[in-house]
Amino acid sequence: MTWSAVLLVTAVVWAVSLIRSVRLRAFVYSLPLPMTLALVTTGHRVDGAQLLGVLGLNLFFVTVALTHHRWRWPILLADLAGVAVYVALSAVLLAVPVPFEPALAGSVLLWLAAMAVLRRRAGPSDAAPAPVPADGAPSPGAEPVEPRRDGLSAPAKLAVIFVGALLTGLLGQLLRGMVVTFPYSGVLVAIEARRELVEFSRHFARNSLALVGFLTCYHYLQDVSPGAAMAGGWAGFALIAAALHLPLRRPRRVTRPDRPAPRSGPAAWRTRTSPGRPH
């Protein structure tokens, strides 16, 4: 890994650590900055294997969330388990040729299935939090909320960045083209978001469709020129991300609180034309 890659990983993780909203954290991490750097510096072509590498990114976070929250593994061991799952998937994908169009169709179908499952399994955590009084005191009967602490200290964070850079460099020969979707900053992001890792994984799974759009546009333009492929990839990412996060909503009809909403139909007509009432 080059020094520019180390600086990029540090910048992404630092930005994620400063963001309080889990949804915004997941969006910032899903920006294809590491993919862009890997494509520019390595010259790898995007094919079906790299497209399925987005699935590997999701499996990485699912593995970390499962081992850390359910099995109570330390977060660093959970990170290593996630990396092992990604490396195992990469070895399988590199062993056989993966046509792009079937990989694209499979990725979209898997994304739709995942969204259906996540929507069905959405629990009380997605509900709005309980209101807090103006004086900051917790409401009666509410459980005390532990103050949110930052992640690793600065020296520990730098040490993990250095180890992650070495690990990525050692895996470079093994992963080959799958380095494009390797979770460079995902190891540190999982540590920073470990308290909300399940919710973070759900939001990232939704955003991953935009990464599929990035790789798809890059694939079809990579024979034109690297610049056109990169511009098209970012345009595809932006278009799908906007469709995911800026849905078109019909404006609500606002009624005055002191006046009931007007009724329609035969009952309303009889009320308006009933005898004894002024028209």
Side-chain angles (χ1 to χ4, degrees):
M1 180 180 285
T2 61
W3 283 110
S4 59
V6 174
L7 292 176
L8 180 60
V9 169
T10 306
V12 171
V13 176
W14 182 255
V16 169
S17 66
L18 296 178
I19 299 173
R20 299 300 181 184
S21 170
V22 180
R23 181 178 181 179
L24 186 56
R25 280 184 163 200
F27 177 75
V28 171
Y29 174 74
S30 66
L31 294 174
L33 294 171
M35 290 186 184
T36 299
L37 184 63
L39 290 170
V40 169
T41 57
T42 63
H44 286 297
R45 292 178 60 85
V46 171
D47 209 340
Q50 287 75 28
L51 196 62
L52 293 180
V54 178
L55 172 63
L57 285 173
N58 284 279
L59 288 178
F60 167 80
F61 283 108
V62 170
T63 302
V64 177
L66 175 66
T67 54
H68 180 61
H69 284 279
R70 180 165 296 184
W71 296 351
R72 304 299 181 182
W73 286 17
I75 187 61
L76 293 180
L77 290 180
D79 268 333
L80 291 177
V83 172
V85 169
Y86 181 88
V87 172
L89 176 66
S90 300
V92 173
L93 294 176
L94 292 174
V96 294
V98 182
F100 188 84
E101 282 72 18
L104 177 60
S107 299
V108 175
L109 289 177
L110 285 174
W111 183 85
L112 291 174
M115 292 303 101
V117 171
L118 291 177
R119 183 174 300 178
R120 183 173 301 178
R121 296 184 60 181
S125 60
D126 296 332
V132 178
D135 56 359
S139 58
E143 296 183 359
V145 179
E146 181 182 358
R148 187 177 183 274
R149 294 175 296 178
D150 291 334
L152 295 176
S153 60
K157 190 177 299 185
L158 290 176
V160 175
I161 291 174
F162 179 72
V163 173
L166 289 179
L167 178 63
T168 305
L170 294 175
L171 293 175
Q173 297 298 325
L174 174 64
L175 294 177
R176 300 197 297 276
M178 297 304 294
V179 173
V180 173
T181 52
F182 183 80
Y184 297 97
S185 56
V187 175
L188 278 176
V189 168
I191 296 175
E192 290 291 336
R194 63 188 181 275
R195 297 179 182 275
E196 308 91 4
L197 200 53
V198 175
E199 184 182 358
F200 180 92
S201 302
R202 292 201 302 265
H203 288 300
F204 176 73
R206 184 188 182 196
N207 295 333
S208 62
L209 184 64
L211 294 178
V212 172
F214 172 86
L215 294 173
T216 300
C217 294
Y218 189 96
H219 169 78
Y220 287 112
L221 292 174
Q222 61 186 346
D223 291 330
V224 178
S225 70
M230 195 61 66
W234 275 94
F237 174 87
L239 181 62
I240 296 179
L244 291 174
H245 294 277
L246 298 176
L248 297 178
R249 297 182 179 178
R250 299 175 60 183
R252 296 181 180 179
R253 184 176 181 180
V254 180
T255 58
R256 294 176 55 182
D258 56 341
R259 296 181 59 185
R263 294 181 295 177
S264 59
W269 180 82
R270 286 195 300 269
T271 301
R272 289 195 299 267
T273 57
S274 58
R277 292 192 178 187
H279 297 285

